[in-house]
Amino acid sequence: PYTRKASCGHPLNGKQTIYKNMKLIVLSGESHCGKTTILKRLCQRLGEQCTEIAREVPVWSDNDIECVFQCGERRVAICTMGDYNCVIKTYGQKYADCDVLICALNSGFMRNTKYKPFEDVLAFDPRAIVVLKRREPDETRHESADRACAEQLLRLLSVI
């Protein structure tokens, strides 16, 4: 098993949680740059190729989803809700039985002095892949930019 600190910007009294060797992919960007839209599109694309085994809409956010797919031998979890502290810890524990976890993370939290989400990412998986998403300035290109990013994530899943 792979050992990762289960922390929320601070060690939990030095305790660690044991997870299987999960690969972490984080889609990070400022608020309203398209992270949720892209991950929902990725869920649609995975649904065409894999078996969806779970879908949940968090009660506190009707715009976000959590999906789990069985893709051959690998189990992939996708979580769109990235606007809260401790996202990595929460989803890492919830989906510890998955091989890949893809989640959103609002990069606005980088300026937060209490919680350090990118420190959580590195503590959870020092080899994590962080994809930075910037807002497309041309509104007529939002949809095509989001679609391209989702396809890039799908290709990334095929090589990790």
Side-chain angles (χ1 to χ4, degrees):
Y2 189 77
T3 304
R4 300 180 180 100
K5 288 184 181 177
S7 67
C8 184
H10 57 353
L12 295 176
N13 299 326
K15 296 180 184 175
Q16 293 187 330
T17 303
I18 305 296
Y19 297 92
K20 67 185 281 185
N21 194 11
M22 179 192 295
K23 186 65 188 164
L24 176 63
I25 300 173
V26 176
L27 179 61
S28 181
E30 295 289 335
S31 296
H32 308 292
C33 72
K35 298 179 300 293
T36 296
T37 301
I38 289 164
L39 292 181
K40 284 181 174 180
R41 188 178 301 270
L42 179 61
C43 286
Q44 289 174 334
R45 293 287 285 128
L46 279 178
E48 298 166 4
Q49 302 172 11
C50 304
T51 303
E52 185 175 310
I53 57 176
R55 180 178 289 254
E56 184 178 328
V57 177
V59 292
W60 55 85
S61 176
D62 60 355
N63 187 44
D64 288 300
I65 59 170
E66 300 173 28
C67 296
V68 179
F69 297 91
Q70 189 69 45
C71 302
E73 297 295 316
R74 294 192 316 168
R75 188 167 284 195
V76 178
I78 299 176
C79 308
T80 66
M81 191 172 54
D83 290 337
Y84 301 93
N85 294 319
C86 304
V87 167
I88 301 302
K89 174 189 169 191
T90 301
Y91 289 136
Q93 291 173 345
K94 183 173 183 177
Y95 296 107
D97 64 330
C98 292
D99 300 290
V100 181
L101 171 61
I102 302 173
C103 60
L105 182 61
N106 189 321
S107 62
F109 287 132
M110 287 192 299
R111 293 183 291 274
N112 193 319
T113 57
K114 184 174 181 183
Y115 296 105
K116 305 289 186 197
F118 283 95
E119 288 178 14
D120 286 351
V121 168
L122 293 176
F124 188 84
D125 183 355
R127 300 174 319 255
I129 297 170
V130 178
V131 177
L132 297 176
K133 171 65 172 87
R134 298 191 191 280
R135 184 189 310 254
E136 171 59 51
D138 181 352
E139 287 190 30
T140 64
R141 297 191 55 206
H142 281 190
E143 187 175 334
S144 62
D146 291 349
R147 188 177 327 108
C149 188
E151 291 299 318
Q152 183 180 21
L153 288 170
L154 189 61
R155 285 190 300 276
L156 183 61
L157 268 175
S158 70
V159 297
I160 61 166

